[in-house]
Amino acid sequence: DGGITQSPKYLFRKEGQNVTLSCEQNLNHDAMYWYRQDPGQGLRLIYYSHIVNDFQKGDIAEGYSVSREKKESFPLTVTSAQKNPTAFYLCASSPSRQGTQYFGPGTRLLVL
Amino acid sequence: RKEVEQDPGPFNVPEGATVAFNCTYSNSASQSFFWYRQDCRKEPKLLMSVYSSGNEDGRFTAQLNRASQYISLLIRDSKLSDSATYLCVVNTLNTGKLIFGQGTTLQVKP
């Protein structure tokens, strides 16, 4: 059963807390991406990785961090420096940087 | 100016209607073009890629005009199940960085 999984589906963060969102894919894709979607808006790129052990900042990387230690995993940490973290977070993967991107089911992050 | 702009919507149409969505992009170096569909509170799913010669998939037809930097999606014989938000997406210079429009919402009514 191939695909992209994200967990948890819902996540609650307290003020000043760091939280980590999981993204796993078993499609053998090289490239992985993290996006943020706010209500009524398009997706904005946070971080991306085209190969293991390498990643690049996207358009809104401040307050976020990532790692890419394994091909199948690309976790996103939302740090306390991100002042407005409430959003729908979407992970995507692609066979290559030119390939079509496929999305996981997303994680909704809410601040308590 | 936004890099990818779409019709604001929402579009409310009766079943069986034909509806067209438009999208413009600002970067003439853009290489790849897509339409994604997003249902309420779900992830985007690829509807179709858009090729220079235009392409059709059942009731859906996509067109690309590179000179005008314009992309369109035509849906014929609308179904209730077509109700969703349609996202116009552009990949510039094949960097893998997709630029998303804000989406156009379609509501098909019985």
Side-chain angles (χ1 to χ4, degrees), chain A residues 6 25 28 30-31 37 39 43 58:
Chain A
Q6 291 186 240
Q25 53 96 3
N28 201 33
D30 284 322
Q37 187 176 34
L43 279 68

Side-chain angles (χ1 to χ4, degrees), chain B residues 13 65 98:
Chain B
V13 303
N65 184 323
L98 296 184

Side-chain angles (χ1 to χ4, degrees), chain B residues 50-67:
Chain B
V50 186
Y51 303 117
S52 295
S53 56
N55 47 300
E56 186 174 309
D57 183 3
R59 297 181 293 108
F60 299 84
T61 300
Q63 298 277 357
L64 168 64
N65 184 323
R66 286 188 183 272

Side-chain angles (χ1 to χ4, degrees), chain B:
Chain B
R1 181 185 174 188
K2 292 182 180 178
E3 291 187 73
V4 177
E5 293 199 71
Q6 296 185 238
D7 284 351
F11 285 65
N12 294 298
V13 303
E15 268 188 294
T18 295
V19 61
F21 302 141
N22 302 317
C23 171
T24 57
Y25 59 95
S26 60
N27 192 329
S28 60
S30 297
Q31 297 279 345
S32 306
F33 309 89
F34 309 91
W35 284 101
Y36 277 75
R37 170 194 168 127
Q38 186 174 25
D39 291 291
C40 188
R41 301 179 70 81
K42 299 287 188 181
E43 75 274 23
K45 293 186 178 179
L46 179 68
L47 179 66
M48 57 197 305
S49 300
V50 186
Y51 303 117
S52 295
S53 56
N55 47 300
E56 186 174 309
D57 183 3
R59 297 181 293 108
F60 299 84
T61 300
Q63 298 277 357
L64 168 64
N65 184 323
R66 286 188 183 272
S68 301
Q69 296 179 201
Y70 170 93
I71 306 160
S72 67
L73 176 68
L74 183 75
I75 305 175
R76 291 181 299 277
D77 189 23
S78 298
K79 311 291 185 190
L80 295 175
S81 58
D82 292 335
S83 298
T85 297
Y86 291 83
L87 304 173
C88 175
V89 185
V90 172
N91 183 342
T92 300
L93 296 175
N94 284 331
T95 60
K97 294 176 64 176
L98 296 184
I99 308 299
F100 286 77
Q102 78 271 28
T104 300
T105 298
L106 172 65
Q107 185 68 43
V108 181
K109 299 188 179 299

Side-chain angles (χ1 to χ4, degrees), chain A residues 88-110:
Chain A
F88 187 34
Y89 290 87
L90 289 155
C91 177
S93 72
S94 173
S96 68
R97 68 180 66 195
Q98 293 91 352
T100 301
Q101 292 185 22
Y102 299 93
F103 287 84
T107 293
R108 292 195 181 274
L109 176 61
L110 298 168

